[in-house]
Amino acid sequence: MTQDPQARPSTGDALISIRDVTKFYGDFQALKDIDLDIHRGEVVALIGASGSGKSTLCRCINRLETITSGTITIDGKPLPEEGKELAKLRSEVGMVFQSFNLFGHMRAIDNVTLGPIKVKGVAKAEAEKQAMDLLARVGLTGKEHNLPSALSGGQQQRVAIARALAMQPKALLFDEPTSALDPEVIKEVLDVMTELAEAGMTMLVVTHEMGFARHVCDRVVFMDSGEIVEQGEPEAFFAAPSSDRARAFLSKILAH
């Protein structure tokens, strides 16, 4: 496993720190001795072929998946196992899923206000004002009262981003946020993510969007067969990857 220690940012402390993390599903090892730091304000792209462990790693960070061994700390605190502390963690580390995961029977604004009201005890009027502001921020003014079924996939994903932001998270995890979208609406979601990156949000993005990884992210982490093979600054990685596995991966996806 080749990891370039010089690839890690030299400034800022790690908001998310992953050490020696392994994950088994039965006899299958999905993650192998993962070491990774994500610093405050940093945007990290997690790339690799399907089945390489990217989504598993992402889901382990807020404990949607349990790890078999190793440690994950968020803002200096170990990942809690259950109960109120786990709920608190999930409010501090937001997640945006491939399949949106909106409540289909609830309007856009209600999807966004649910977490602040139920988890953080925010008053309904205050939560709704914040939700209106967030929906405007993601370009959905006028869609606040629509059900998800009345929204396009790109609009639903932007509601999901607003919902994650409503919890005022320290970091956001994106698990292939555009892979379920039609090509014509991918840009509208990536534009919102780019704005968040420029505003200083700490982000880990599992993605197949190489343009986003190259031009928006601070660092690219390439995974293969459950391990981090290589990481570095995007321009250097895409121009001259140091590992055979990364070169093979890029030759397939950049040839189109």
Side-chain angles (χ1 to χ4, degrees), residues 39 41-45 197 201-205 212 216-219:
H39 294 76
E42 188 181 23
V43 182
V44 176
M201 175 62 72
T202 305
M203 297 160 60
L204 176 67
V205 184
F212 179 86
V216 179
C217 296
D218 301 300
R219 182 160 41 118

Side-chain angles (χ1 to χ4, degrees), residues 16 41 145 169:
I16 300 170
H145 302 294

Side-chain angles (χ1 to χ4, degrees), residues 63-128:
R63 216 174 181 282
L64 289 172
E65 298 279 358
T66 57
I67 61 176
T68 304
S69 63
T71 60
I72 299 176
T73 58
I74 311 290
D75 209 1
K77 297 179 182 177
L79 208 58
E81 291 194 7
E82 56 188 19
K84 289 183 178 179
E85 284 302 307
L86 182 56
K88 184 172 185 288
L89 166 84
R90 288 186 178 147
S91 71
E92 293 180 346
V93 182
M95 186 142 187
V96 177
F97 300 88
Q98 175 180 339
S99 54
F100 323 139
N101 288 15
L102 299 177
F103 290 105
H105 65 289
M106 298 175 68
R107 301 172 303 166
I109 190 169
D110 299 323
N111 269 281
V112 177
T113 60
L114 184 65
I117 292 171
K118 296 290 188 184
V119 178
K120 301 186 94 173
V122 176
K124 184 178 180 182
E126 182 183 343
E128 287 186 346

Side-chain angles (χ1 to χ4, degrees), residues 138-194:
V138 299
L140 290 176
T141 299
K143 303 290 186 182
E144 300 91 350
H145 302 294
N146 287 34
L147 291 173
S149 59
L151 301 173
S152 71
Q155 290 170 334
Q156 290 183 61
Q157 192 61 292
R158 285 184 280 154
V159 173
I161 293 171
R163 177 182 60 184
L165 290 172
M167 300 300 286
Q168 300 178 325
K170 295 177 180 178
L172 284 178
L173 310 174
F174 292 84
D175 187 9
E176 301 195 19
T178 60
S179 62
L181 299 177
D182 293 330
E184 64 269 20
V185 298
I186 287 174
K187 183 179 183 298
E188 65 191 42
V189 173
L190 293 179
D191 284 348
V192 171
M193 294 169 61
T194 299

